[in-house]
Amino acid sequence: MHRDIELTNWTAVCSLDEIVPNTGVCALLKGEQVAVFHVSDAEERVFAIGNYDPNSGVSVLSRGLVGSLGERIVVASPIYKQHFDLFTGECLEAPEHSVPSYRARVEDGKVWVCA
C-alpha cells in the first residue's frame, strides 16, 4: 500500500530516458534505498518499491527482472527469485516479506518519487 505522505515530499530521481525500459535503478530518498522501475508496455509507467529484499537480506530489487504474473506487474529478486508486485510491494510467495511501495510519476521527462 502506498505511504500516506504529503505531496511536498516528491523528489526528482532521474530522467525517464536514463532508465532502460523494463528495468530498474536504485535511488536514495531520505536515507532509504528505493528501487525505481520504468515499465514500457501499452504506455510508459514508473513504479517505486523498497530496494531491500527481506528474503535474501540485501538491497538488490532494482536489479531484478521485470515481468508479469497474470495481471500483476512484478519484479523477480535476482537472489532467490521471489516476485514483488510493483503496485503494492507485496511479496507473492511470502507476503510477510513484502516491501514498501511509493507513489511515482513522470513529469516533463523526469521521474518523481514521493518518499
Side-chain angles (χ1 to χ4, degrees):
M1 180 174 288
H2 286 105
R3 292 181 175 189
D4 187 20
I5 298 176
E6 294 183 29
L7 294 178
T8 58
N9 291 322
W10 287 91
T11 301
V13 296
C14 64
S15 296
L16 181 62
D17 61 7
E18 292 179 297
I19 309 174
V20 174
N22 301 313
T23 69
V25 297
C26 182
L28 189 61
L29 296 176
K30 298 189 177 190
E32 290 185 48
Q33 289 188 27
V34 176
V36 181
F37 297 93
H38 172 191
V39 174
S40 181
D41 45 21
E43 57 187 294
E44 301 287 322
R45 297 184 283 174
V46 290
F47 299 92
I49 62 173
N51 192 44
Y52 180 79
D53 177 1
N55 298 292
S56 66
V58 292
S59 296
V60 294
L61 292 181
S62 63
R63 295 174 179 246
L65 296 174
V66 175
S68 61
L69 289 176
E71 297 294 316
R72 297 177 102 166
I73 300 171
V74 299
V75 63
S77 172
I79 305 296
Y80 296 126
K81 311 301 185 238
Q82 284 90 356
H83 298 91
F84 294 84
D85 186 303
L86 292 183
F87 282 102
T88 65
E90 179 185 6
C91 178
L92 303 185
E93 291 81 10
E96 68 275 11
H97 289 167
S98 297
V99 298
S101 65
Y102 302 86
R103 291 179 285 174
R105 71 175 195 245
V106 177
E107 186 175 303
D108 297 326
K110 293 188 183 216
V111 176
W112 293 79
V113 177
C114 188

